[in-house]
Coordinates of all heavy atoms in Angstrom, one line a residue:
M15 N 26.5 53.6 106.4 CA 27.1 54.1 107.6 C 28.6 53.4 107.6 O 28.7 52.3 107.3 CB 26.4 53.6 108.8 CG 25.0 54.3 109.0 SD 25.4 55.7 110.0 CE 24.2 56.8 109.4
S16 N 29.5 54.2 108.1 CA 30.8 53.7 108.3 C 31.0 53.0 109.6 O 30.1 53.1 110.5 CB 31.8 54.9 108.2 OG 31.7 55.7 109.4
S17 N 32.1 52.2 109.7 CA 32.3 51.5 110.9 C 32.6 52.4 112.1 O 32.4 52.0 113.3 CB 33.4 50.5 110.7 OG 34.6 51.2 110.5
A18 N 33.0 53.6 111.8 CA 33.3 54.5 112.9 C 32.1 55.0 113.6 O 32.1 55.4 114.8 CB 34.0 55.8 112.4
T19 N 30.9 55.0 112.9 CA 29.7 55.4 113.6 C 28.9 54.3 114.2 O 27.9 54.5 114.8 CB 28.8 56.2 112.5 OG1 28.5 55.2 111.5 CG2 29.5 57.4 112.0
S20 N 29.3 53.1 113.9 CA 28.5 52.0 114.5 C 28.9 51.8 116.0 O 30.0 52.1 116.4 CB 28.8 50.7 113.8 OG 30.2 50.3 114.0
T21 N 27.9 51.4 116.8 CA 28.2 51.3 118.2 C 28.4 49.8 118.5 O 27.6 48.9 118.1 CB 27.0 51.8 119.0 OG1 25.8 51.1 118.6 CG2 26.8 53.3 118.7
T22 N 29.4 49.6 119.2 CA 29.7 48.3 119.8 C 30.0 48.4 121.3 O 30.4 49.4 121.8 CB 31.0 47.6 119.1 OG1 32.1 48.5 119.4 CG2 30.8 47.5 117.6
S23 N 29.6 47.3 122.0 CA 29.8 47.3 123.4 C 31.3 47.0 123.7 O 32.0 46.3 123.0 CB 28.9 46.3 124.1 OG 29.3 45.0 123.7
L24 N 31.8 47.7 124.7 CA 33.2 47.5 125.1 C 33.3 46.2 125.9 O 32.4 45.9 126.7 CB 33.6 48.6 126.0 CG 33.7 50.0 125.3 CD1 34.0 51.1 126.4 CD2 34.8 50.0 124.3
P25 N 34.4 45.5 125.8 CA 34.6 44.2 126.5 C 34.8 44.5 128.0 O 35.3 45.6 128.4 CB 35.7 43.6 125.9 CG 36.5 44.7 125.3 CD 35.5 45.7 124.9
S26 N 34.5 43.6 128.8 CA 34.8 43.7 130.3 C 35.3 42.4 130.8 O 35.2 41.4 130.1 CB 33.5 44.1 131.1 OG 32.5 43.2 130.9
G27 N 35.9 42.4 132.0 CA 36.5 41.2 132.5 C 37.8 40.9 131.8 O 38.4 41.7 131.2
L28 N 38.1 39.6 131.7 CA 39.3 39.2 131.0 C 39.2 39.2 129.5 O 40.2 39.1 128.8 CB 39.7 37.7 131.5 CG 40.1 37.6 132.9 CD1 40.5 36.2 133.3 CD2 41.3 38.5 133.2
A29 N 38.0 39.4 129.0 CA 37.8 39.6 127.5 C 38.5 40.9 127.0 O 38.8 41.0 125.9 CB 36.3 39.7 127.2
V30 N 38.9 41.8 128.0 CA 39.6 43.0 127.6 C 40.9 42.6 127.0 O 41.4 43.2 126.1 CB 39.8 43.9 128.9 CG1 40.7 45.0 128.6 CG2 38.5 44.4 129.3
L31 N 41.5 41.6 127.5 CA 42.9 41.1 127.1 C 42.8 40.4 125.8 O 43.9 39.9 125.3 CB 43.5 40.3 128.2 CG 43.7 41.0 129.5 CD1 44.2 40.0 130.6 CD2 44.5 42.2 129.4
T32 N 41.7 40.2 125.1 CA 41.6 39.5 123.9 C 41.3 40.4 122.7 O 41.3 39.9 121.5 CB 40.6 38.4 124.0 OG1 39.3 39.0 124.2 CG2 40.9 37.4 125.0
T33 N 40.9 41.7 122.9 CA 40.6 42.6 121.8 C 41.9 43.4 121.5 O 42.7 43.7 122.3 CB 39.4 43.5 122.2 OG1 39.8 44.2 123.4 CG2 38.2 42.7 122.5
F34 N 42.0 43.8 120.2 CA 43.2 44.4 119.8 C 43.6 45.7 120.5 O 44.7 45.7 121.1 CB 43.2 44.7 118.2 CG 44.4 45.5 117.8 CD1 45.7 45.0 117.9 CD2 44.2 46.8 117.4 CE1 46.8 45.7 117.6 CE2 45.3 47.6 117.1 CZ 46.6 47.0 117.2
P35 N 42.8 46.7 120.5 CA 43.4 47.9 121.1 C 43.6 47.8 122.6 O 44.5 48.3 123.2 CB 42.4 49.0 120.9 CG 41.1 48.3 120.3 CD 41.5 47.0 120.0
D36 N 42.8 46.9 123.2 CA 42.9 46.8 124.7 C 44.0 45.8 125.1 O 44.6 45.9 126.2 CB 41.6 46.2 125.3 CG 40.4 47.2 125.0 OD1 40.7 48.4 125.0 OD2 39.3 46.7 124.8
V37 N 44.4 44.9 124.2 CA 45.6 44.0 124.6 C 46.8 44.9 124.6 O 47.8 44.4 125.3 CB 45.7 42.9 123.6 CG1 46.3 43.3 122.3 CG2 46.4 41.7 124.2
L38 N 46.9 46.0 124.1 CA 48.1 46.9 124.2 C 48.3 47.4 125.6 O 49.3 48.0 125.9 CB 48.0 48.0 123.2 CG 48.0 47.6 121.7 CD1 47.8 48.8 120.8 CD2 49.3 46.9 121.4
F39 N 47.3 47.3 126.5 CA 47.5 47.7 127.8 C 48.7 47.0 128.5 O 49.5 47.6 129.3 CB 46.3 47.4 128.7 CG 45.2 48.4 128.7 CD1 43.9 48.1 128.3 CD2 45.5 49.7 129.0 CE1 42.9 49.0 128.3 CE2 44.5 50.7 128.9 CZ 43.2 50.3 128.5
I40 N 48.8 45.7 128.2 CA 49.9 44.9 128.8 C 51.3 45.4 128.4 O 52.1 45.8 129.3 CB 49.8 43.4 128.4 CG1 48.4 42.9 128.9 CG2 50.9 42.6 129.0 CD1 48.2 43.0 130.4
P41 N 51.6 45.7 127.1 CA 52.9 46.3 126.8 C 53.1 47.7 127.3 O 54.2 48.1 127.7 CB 53.0 46.2 125.2 CG 51.9 45.3 124.8 CD 50.9 45.2 125.9
E42 N 52.0 48.4 127.3 CA 52.0 49.8 127.9 C 52.5 49.8 129.4 O 53.3 50.6 129.8 CB 50.6 50.5 127.9 CG 50.2 51.1 126.6 CD 48.9 51.7 126.7 OE1 48.5 52.2 127.7 OE2 48.2 51.7 125.6
I43 N 51.9 48.8 130.1 CA 52.3 48.8 131.6 C 53.7 48.2 131.7 O 54.5 48.8 132.5 CB 51.2 47.8 132.3 CG1 49.9 48.6 132.3 CG2 51.8 47.5 133.7 CD1 48.8 47.7 132.8
I44 N 54.1 47.3 130.9 CA 55.5 46.7 131.0 C 56.5 47.8 130.6 O 57.5 48.1 131.3 CB 55.6 45.5 130.1 CG1 54.8 44.3 130.7 CG2 57.1 45.1 130.0 CD1 54.7 43.1 129.8
F45 N 56.3 48.4 129.4 CA 57.3 49.4 128.9 C 57.2 50.7 129.8 O 58.2 51.3 130.0 CB 57.1 49.7 127.4 CG 57.5 48.5 126.6 CD1 56.6 48.0 125.7 CD2 58.8 48.0 126.7 CE1 57.0 46.9 124.9 CE2 59.2 47.0 125.9 CZ 58.2 46.4 125.0
G46 N 56.0 51.0 130.2 CA 55.9 52.2 131.1 C 56.7 52.0 132.4 O 57.3 52.9 132.9
G47 N 56.6 50.8 133.0 CA 57.3 50.5 134.2 C 58.8 50.5 134.0 O 59.6 51.0 134.8
L48 N 59.2 50.0 132.8 CA 60.7 50.0 132.4 C 61.2 51.5 132.3 O 62.3 51.8 132.8 CB 61.0 49.2 131.2 CG 60.8 47.7 131.3 CD1 60.9 47.0 130.0 CD2 61.9 47.2 132.3
V49 N 60.4 52.3 131.6 CA 60.7 53.7 131.5 C 60.9 54.4 132.8 O 61.8 55.1 133.1 CB 59.8 54.4 130.6 CG1 59.9 56.0 130.6 CG2 59.9 54.0 129.2
W50 N 59.9 54.1 133.7 CA 59.9 54.6 135.0 C 61.2 54.3 135.8 O 61.8 55.1 136.4 CB 58.7 54.1 135.7 CG 58.3 54.7 137.0 CD1 58.9 55.7 137.7 CD2 57.2 54.3 137.9 NE1 58.3 55.9 138.9 CE2 57.2 55.1 139.0 CE3 56.2 53.4 137.8 CZ2 56.3 55.0 140.0 CZ3 55.3 53.3 138.8 CH2 55.3 54.1 139.9
I51 N 61.6 53.0 135.7 CA 62.8 52.5 136.4 C 64.0 53.2 135.7 O 64.9 53.6 136.5 CB 62.9 51.0 136.3 CG1 61.8 50.4 137.1 CG2 64.2 50.5 136.7 CD1 61.5 48.9 136.9
L52 N 64.1 53.2 134.4 CA 65.3 53.8 133.7 C 65.4 55.3 134.0 O 66.5 55.8 134.2 CB 65.2 53.5 132.2 CG 65.4 52.0 131.8 CD1 65.1 51.9 130.3 CD2 66.7 51.6 132.2
V53 N 64.3 56.0 134.0 CA 64.4 57.4 134.3 C 64.8 57.7 135.7 O 65.6 58.6 136.0 CB 63.1 58.1 133.9 CG1 63.0 59.6 134.5 CG2 62.8 58.1 132.5
A54 N 64.3 56.9 136.6 CA 64.6 57.1 138.0 C 66.1 56.8 138.4 O 66.7 57.4 139.2 CB 63.7 56.2 138.9
S55 N 66.6 55.8 137.6 CA 68.0 55.4 137.9 C 69.1 56.2 137.1 O 70.2 56.0 137.3 CB 68.2 53.9 137.7 OG 68.0 53.6 136.3
S56 N 68.7 57.0 136.1 CA 69.6 57.7 135.3 C 70.0 59.1 136.0 O 69.3 59.7 136.8 CB 69.1 58.0 133.9 OG 68.0 58.8 134.0
K57 N 71.2 59.6 135.6 CA 71.6 60.9 136.1 C 71.7 61.8 134.8 O 72.3 61.5 133.8 CB 73.0 60.7 136.7 CG 72.9 60.0 138.0 CD 74.3 60.0 138.7 CE 74.4 59.3 140.0 NZ 73.4 58.6 140.6
V58 N 71.0 62.9 134.9 CA 71.0 63.9 133.8 C 71.6 65.2 134.4 O 71.5 65.5 135.5 CB 69.6 64.1 133.3 CG1 69.0 62.9 132.6 CG2 68.6 64.5 134.3
P59 N 72.2 66.0 133.4 CA 72.7 67.3 133.9 C 71.7 68.3 134.5 O 72.0 69.1 135.3 CB 73.5 67.8 132.7 CG 73.1 67.0 131.6 CD 72.4 65.8 132.1
T60 N 70.5 68.3 133.9 CA 69.5 69.2 134.4 C 68.4 68.4 135.1 O 67.6 67.8 134.4 CB 68.9 70.0 133.2 OG1 70.0 70.5 132.4 CG2 68.0 71.1 133.6
P61 N 68.3 68.5 136.4 CA 67.3 67.6 137.1 C 65.9 68.0 136.8 O 65.0 67.1 136.9 CB 67.6 67.9 138.6 CG 69.0 68.5 138.6 CD 69.2 69.1 137.3
I62 N 65.6 69.2 136.4 CA 64.2 69.6 136.1 C 63.7 68.8 134.9 O 62.5 68.4 134.9 CB 64.1 71.1 135.8 CG1 62.6 71.5 135.8 CG2 64.8 71.5 134.6 CD1 61.9 71.5 137.1
L63 N 64.6 68.4 133.9 CA 64.2 67.7 132.8 C 63.8 66.2 133.2 O 62.8 65.6 132.8 CB 65.2 67.6 131.7 CG 65.5 69.0 131.1 CD1 66.7 68.9 130.1 CD2 64.3 69.6 130.4
Q64 N 64.7 65.7 134.1 CA 64.4 64.4 134.6 C 63.1 64.3 135.4 O 62.3 63.3 135.3 CB 65.5 63.9 135.5 CG 65.3 62.4 136.0 CD 66.5 62.0 136.8 OE1 67.3 62.8 137.2 NE2 66.6 60.7 137.0
G65 N 62.8 65.3 136.1 CA 61.5 65.4 136.9 C 60.3 65.4 136.0 O 59.3 64.8 136.3
W66 N 60.4 66.1 134.9 CA 59.3 66.2 133.9 C 59.1 64.9 133.3 O 58.0 64.4 133.1 CB 59.6 67.3 132.9 CG 58.5 67.4 131.9 CD1 58.6 67.1 130.6 CD2 57.1 67.8 132.1 NE1 57.4 67.2 129.9 CE2 56.5 67.7 130.8 CE3 56.4 68.1 133.2 CZ2 55.1 68.0 130.7 CZ3 55.0 68.5 133.0 CH2 54.4 68.3 131.8
V67 N 60.2 64.2 132.8 CA 60.1 62.9 132.2 C 59.5 61.9 133.1 O 58.7 61.1 132.8 CB 61.4 62.5 131.6 CG1 61.3 61.1 131.0 CG2 61.8 63.5 130.4
M68 N 60.0 62.0 134.4 CA 59.5 61.1 135.4 C 58.0 61.3 135.7 O 57.2 60.3 135.8 CB 60.3 61.3 136.7 CG 60.0 60.3 137.8 SD 60.6 58.7 137.2 CE 60.4 57.8 138.7
F69 N 57.5 62.6 135.7 CA 56.2 62.8 135.9 C 55.3 62.2 134.8 O 54.3 61.6 135.0 CB 55.9 64.4 136.1 CG 54.5 64.8 135.9 CD1 53.6 64.5 137.0 CD2 54.0 65.2 134.8 CE1 52.3 64.8 136.9 CE2 52.7 65.6 134.6 CZ 51.8 65.4 135.7
V70 N 55.7 62.5 133.6 CA 54.9 62.0 132.4 C 54.9 60.5 132.4 O 53.9 59.8 132.2 CB 55.6 62.5 131.1 CG1 54.9 61.9 129.9 CG2 55.3 64.0 131.1
S71 N 56.1 59.8 132.7 CA 56.1 58.3 132.7 C 55.2 57.8 133.8 O 54.4 56.8 133.5 CB 57.5 57.8 132.7 OG 58.1 58.1 134.0
V72 N 55.3 58.3 135.0 CA 54.5 57.8 136.1 C 53.0 58.1 135.8 O 52.2 57.2 136.1 CB 54.9 58.5 137.4 CG1 54.0 58.2 138.5 CG2 56.3 57.9 137.8
F73 N 52.7 59.3 135.3 CA 51.3 59.6 135.1 C 50.7 58.7 134.0 O 49.6 58.1 134.2 CB 51.2 61.1 134.6 CG 49.8 61.5 134.3 CD1 48.9 61.8 135.3 CD2 49.3 61.6 133.0 CE1 47.6 62.2 135.0 CE2 48.0 61.9 132.7 CZ 47.2 62.2 133.7
C74 N 51.4 58.5 132.9 CA 50.9 57.5 131.9 C 50.8 56.1 132.4 O 49.8 55.4 132.1 CB 51.7 57.6 130.7 SG 51.6 59.2 129.8
F75 N 51.7 55.7 133.2 CA 51.7 54.3 133.8 C 50.5 54.2 134.7 O 49.7 53.2 134.6 CB 53.0 54.1 134.6 CG 53.1 52.7 135.3 CD1 53.4 51.7 134.5 CD2 52.8 52.6 136.6 CE1 53.5 50.4 135.1 CE2 52.9 51.4 137.2 CZ 53.2 50.3 136.4
V76 N 50.2 55.1 135.5 CA 49.1 55.1 136.5 C 47.8 55.1 135.7 O 46.9 54.4 136.0 CB 49.2 56.2 137.6 CG1 47.9 56.3 138.3 CG2 50.4 55.9 138.5
M77 N 47.7 56.0 134.7 CA 46.4 56.1 134.0 C 46.1 54.9 133.2 O 45.0 54.4 133.1 CB 46.5 57.3 133.0 CG 46.5 58.6 133.7 SD 45.3 59.3 134.8 CE 44.0 58.4 135.2
S78 N 47.2 54.2 132.6 CA 47.0 53.0 131.8 C 46.5 51.9 132.8 O 45.6 51.1 132.5 CB 48.3 52.6 131.1 OG 48.6 53.5 130.1
T79 N 47.2 51.8 133.9 CA 46.8 50.7 134.9 C 45.4 51.0 135.4 O 44.6 50.0 135.5 CB 47.8 50.8 136.1 OG1 49.2 50.6 135.6 CG2 47.5 49.6 137.0
T80 N 45.0 52.2 135.7 CA 43.7 52.6 136.2 C 42.7 52.2 135.2 O 41.6 51.6 135.5 CB 43.6 54.0 136.5 OG1 44.6 54.3 137.6 CG2 42.2 54.4 137.1
L81 N 42.9 52.6 133.9 CA 42.0 52.3 132.8 C 41.8 50.8 132.6 O 40.7 50.3 132.5 CB 42.4 53.0 131.6 CG 41.4 53.0 130.4 CD1 40.1 53.8 130.9 CD2 42.0 53.8 129.2
L82 N 42.9 50.1 132.7 CA 42.8 48.6 132.6 C 42.0 48.0 133.7 O 41.1 47.2 133.4 CB 44.2 48.0 132.5 CG 44.2 46.5 132.5 CD1 43.6 45.9 131.2 CD2 45.6 46.0 132.6
C83 N 42.2 48.5 134.9 CA 41.4 48.0 136.0 C 39.9 48.3 135.9 O 39.1 47.5 136.2 CB 42.0 48.5 137.3 SG 43.6 47.9 137.8
L84 N 39.6 49.5 135.4 CA 38.2 49.9 135.2 C 37.6 49.0 134.1 O 36.4 48.7 134.2 CB 38.1 51.3 134.9 CG 38.4 52.3 136.0 CD1 38.4 53.7 135.5 CD2 37.4 52.2 137.1
Y85 N 38.3 48.7 133.1 CA 37.8 47.9 132.0 C 37.5 46.5 132.6 O 36.5 45.8 132.3 CB 38.7 47.8 130.8 CG 38.6 48.9 129.8 CD1 39.6 49.3 129.0 CD2 37.3 49.6 129.7 CE1 39.5 50.3 128.1 CE2 37.2 50.6 128.8 CZ 38.3 51.0 128.0 OH 38.1 52.0 127.1
I86 N 38.5 45.9 133.3 CA 38.4 44.5 133.8 C 37.2 44.5 134.8 O 36.5 43.5 134.8 CB 39.7 44.1 134.4 CG1 40.7 43.8 133.3 CG2 39.5 42.8 135.3 CD1 42.1 43.4 133.8
C87 N 37.0 45.5 135.6 CA 35.9 45.5 136.6 C 34.6 45.7 135.9 O 33.5 45.4 136.5 CB 36.1 46.6 137.6 SG 37.5 46.4 138.7
G88 N 34.6 46.1 134.6 CA 33.3 46.3 134.0 C 32.6 47.6 134.4 O 31.4 47.8 134.3
A89 N 33.4 48.6 134.9 CA 32.8 49.9 135.3 C 32.2 50.7 134.2 O 31.4 51.5 134.5 CB 33.9 50.7 136.0
H90 N 32.6 50.4 133.0 CA 32.0 51.2 131.9 C 30.6 50.8 131.5 O 29.9 51.6 130.9 CB 32.9 51.0 130.7 CG 33.1 49.6 130.3 ND1 32.2 48.8 129.7 CD2 34.3 48.9 130.4 CE1 32.7 47.6 129.5 NE2 34.0 47.6 129.9
G91 N 30.1 49.6 131.9 CA 28.7 49.2 131.7 C 28.5 49.0 130.2 O 27.3 49.0 129.8
G92 N 29.5 48.8 129.4 CA 29.3 48.5 128.0 C 29.2 49.8 127.1 O 29.1 49.7 125.9
S93 N 29.3 50.9 127.7 CA 29.2 52.2 127.0 C 30.6 52.8 126.8 O 31.4 52.7 127.7 CB 28.4 53.2 127.8 OG 28.4 54.4 127.3
S94 N 30.8 53.4 125.7 CA 32.1 54.0 125.4 C 32.2 55.4 125.8 O 33.4 56.0 125.9 CB 32.5 53.8 124.0 OG 31.6 54.5 123.2
S95 N 31.1 56.1 126.1 CA 31.2 57.5 126.4 C 31.7 57.8 127.9 O 32.0 58.9 128.2 CB 29.9 58.2 126.2 OG 28.9 57.6 127.1
W96 N 31.7 56.8 128.7 CA 32.1 57.1 130.1 C 33.5 57.4 130.3 O 33.9 58.1 131.2 CB 31.7 55.8 130.9 CG 32.7 54.7 130.7 CD1 32.6 53.7 129.8 CD2 33.9 54.4 131.4 NE1 33.6 52.9 129.8 CE2 34.5 53.3 130.8 CE3 34.5 55.0 132.5 CZ2 35.7 52.7 131.3 CZ3 35.7 54.5 132.9 CH2 36.3 53.3 132.3
V97 N 34.4 56.9 129.3 CA 35.9 57.2 129.5 C 36.1 58.7 129.4 O 36.8 59.3 130.2 CB 36.6 56.5 128.4 CG1 38.1 56.8 128.4 CG2 36.4 55.0 128.5
T98 N 35.5 59.3 128.4 CA 35.7 60.8 128.2 C 35.1 61.5 129.5 O 35.8 62.4 130.0 CB 34.9 61.3 127.0 OG1 35.4 60.6 125.9 CG2 35.1 62.7 126.8
L99 N 34.0 61.1 130.0 CA 33.4 61.7 131.1 C 34.2 61.6 132.4 O 34.5 62.5 133.1 CB 32.0 61.1 131.4 CG 31.2 61.7 132.6 CD1 30.9 63.1 132.4 CD2 30.0 60.9 132.9
V100 N 34.8 60.3 132.6 CA 35.7 60.0 133.8 C 36.9 60.9 133.8 O 37.2 61.6 134.8 CB 36.1 58.6 133.9 CG1 37.2 58.3 134.9 CG2 34.9 57.7 134.2
F101 N 37.6 61.0 132.6 CA 38.8 61.8 132.5 C 38.5 63.2 132.5 O 39.4 64.1 133.0 CB 39.7 61.3 131.3 CG 40.3 59.9 131.6 CD1 39.9 58.8 130.9 CD2 41.3 59.8 132.5 CE1 40.4 57.6 131.2 CE2 41.9 58.6 132.8 CZ 41.4 57.5 132.2
A102 N 37.4 63.7 131.9 CA 37.1 65.1 131.9 C 36.8 65.5 133.3 O 37.2 66.6 133.8 CB 35.9 65.3 131.0
F103 N 36.1 64.6 134.1 CA 35.8 65.0 135.5 C 37.1 65.0 136.3 O 37.3 65.9 137.1 CB 34.9 63.9 136.1 CG 34.7 64.1 137.6 CD1 33.8 65.1 138.0 CD2 35.3 63.2 138.5 CE1 33.6 65.2 139.4 CE2 35.1 63.4 139.8 CZ 34.2 64.4 140.3
L104 N 38.0 64.1 136.1 CA 39.3 64.1 136.8 C 40.1 65.4 136.5 O 40.7 66.0 137.4 CB 40.1 62.9 136.5 CG 39.6 61.6 137.1 CD1 40.4 60.4 136.6 CD2 39.6 61.7 138.6
A105 N 40.1 65.8 135.2 CA 40.9 67.0 134.8 C 40.3 68.2 135.5 O 41.0 69.1 136.0 CB 40.9 67.1 133.3
T106 N 38.9 68.3 135.5 CA 38.3 69.4 136.1 C 38.6 69.4 137.6 O 38.9 70.5 138.2 CB 36.8 69.4 135.9 OG1 36.6 69.3 134.4 CG2 36.1 70.6 136.4
L107 N 38.5 68.3 138.2 CA 38.8 68.2 139.7 C 40.2 68.6 140.0 O 40.4 69.4 140.9 CB 38.6 66.8 140.2 CG 38.8 66.5 141.6 CD1 37.8 67.3 142.5 CD2 38.7 65.0 141.9
M108 N 41.2 68.2 139.1 CA 42.6 68.7 139.4 C 42.7 70.2 139.2 O 43.4 70.8 139.9 CB 43.5 67.9 138.4 CG 43.6 66.5 138.7 SD 44.2 66.1 140.3 CE 42.9 65.1 140.9
Y109 N 42.0 70.7 138.2 CA 42.1 72.2 138.0 C 41.5 72.9 139.2 O 42.1 73.9 139.7 CB 41.3 72.6 136.8 CG 41.9 72.3 135.5 CD1 41.1 71.8 134.4 CD2 43.3 72.4 135.3 CE1 41.7 71.5 133.2 CE2 43.9 72.1 134.1 CZ 43.1 71.6 133.0 OH 43.7 71.4 131.8
V110 N 40.4 72.4 139.7 CA 39.7 73.1 140.9 C 40.7 73.0 142.1 O 40.9 74.0 142.8 CB 38.4 72.5 141.2 CG1 37.8 73.0 142.5 CG2 37.4 72.9 140.0
I111 N 41.2 71.8 142.3 CA 42.1 71.7 143.5 C 43.3 72.6 143.4 O 43.7 73.3 144.3 CB 42.5 70.2 143.7 CG1 41.3 69.4 144.1 CG2 43.6 70.1 144.7 CD1 41.5 67.9 144.1
H112 N 43.9 72.6 142.2 CA 45.1 73.5 142.0 C 44.7 75.0 142.2 O 45.5 75.7 142.8 CB 45.6 73.2 140.6 CG 46.8 74.1 140.3 ND1 46.8 75.0 139.3 CD2 48.0 74.2 140.8 CE1 47.9 75.6 139.2 NE2 48.7 75.2 140.1
K113 N 43.6 75.4 141.7 CA 43.2 76.8 141.8 C 42.9 77.2 143.3 O 43.3 78.2 143.7 CB 42.1 77.1 140.9 CG 42.4 77.0 139.4 CD 43.6 77.8 139.1 CE 44.0 77.6 137.7 NZ 45.3 78.0 137.4
V114 N 42.3 76.3 144.0 CA 42.0 76.6 145.4 C 43.2 76.7 146.2 O 43.4 77.7 147.0 CB 41.0 75.5 146.0 CG1 41.0 75.6 147.5 CG2 39.6 75.6 145.3
Y115 N 44.2 75.8 146.1 CA 45.4 75.8 146.8 C 46.3 77.0 146.4 O 47.0 77.6 147.2 CB 46.2 74.5 146.8 CG 45.6 73.5 147.7 CD1 44.8 72.5 147.3 CD2 45.8 73.6 149.1 CE1 44.2 71.6 148.2 CE2 45.3 72.7 150.0 CZ 44.5 71.7 149.5 OH 44.0 70.8 150.4
S116 N 46.2 77.3 145.1 CA 47.0 78.5 144.6 C 46.4 79.7 145.2 O 47.2 80.7 145.6 CB 47.0 78.6 143.1 OG 47.7 77.5 142.5
L117 N 45.1 79.8 145.3 CA 44.5 81.0 145.9 C 44.8 81.2 147.3 O 45.1 82.2 147.8 CB 43.0 81.0 145.6 CG 42.2 82.1 146.1 CD1 42.5 83.4 145.4 CD2 40.7 81.9 146.0
L118 N 44.7 80.0 148.0 CA 45.1 80.1 149.4 C 46.5 80.5 149.7 O 46.8 81.2 150.6 CB 44.8 78.7 150.1 CG 43.3 78.3 150.2 CD1 43.2 76.9 150.7 CD2 42.6 79.3 151.1
R119 N 47.4 80.0 148.9 CA 48.8 80.3 149.0 C 49.0 81.8 148.7 O 49.8 82.5 149.3 CB 49.7 79.5 148.1 CG 51.2 79.8 148.2 CD 52.0 78.9 147.3 NE 51.6 79.1 145.9 CZ 52.1 78.5 144.9 NH1 52.9 77.5 145.2 NH2 51.7 78.7 143.7
W120 N 48.3 82.3 147.7 CA 48.4 83.7 147.3 C 47.9 84.6 148.4 O 48.4 85.7 148.8 CB 47.7 84.0 146.0 CG 47.6 85.4 145.6 CD1 48.6 86.2 145.2 CD2 46.4 86.2 145.7 NE1 48.1 87.4 144.9 CE2 46.8 87.5 145.2 CE3 45.1 86.0 146.0 CZ2 45.9 88.6 145.1 CZ3 44.2 87.0 145.9 CH2 44.6 88.3 145.5
K121 N 46.8 84.2 149.0 CA 46.2 85.0 150.1 C 47.0 85.0 151.3 O 47.1 86.0 152.1 CB 44.8 84.5 150.5 CG 43.7 84.7 149.5 CD 42.8 85.7 150.0 CE 41.6 85.9 149.0 NZ 40.9 87.1 149.3
S122 N 47.8 83.9 151.6 CA 48.6 83.9 152.8 C 49.9 84.6 152.7 O 50.6 84.9 153.6 CB 48.8 82.5 153.2 OG 49.6 81.8 152.3
S123 N 50.3 84.9 151.5 CA 51.6 85.6 151.2 C 51.5 87.1 151.3 O 50.5 87.7 151.4 CB 52.2 85.2 149.9 OG 51.4 85.7 148.9

């Protein structure tokens, strides 16, 4: 069996900050915050591009921070499949909310 098929428990608490892929949360948050600040303070000729870059940087910053907090709290219970389920649920919820409000706006016009 390869190491990709072996199951290991995910760290929780402050042990998250000692494992390799999870320790990258700290630079992600730092550099994500810097990108957020730099994009917000820059002036670009086409504001729509700045809005899109700002959305992506804020979204990634919030998701990284949320995932780090969930890992530190131990919300995963040692299982790795919950991350896919949490983010799949959130994406589905966002789609449903968007479609409901789009339908309401369409009906009222």
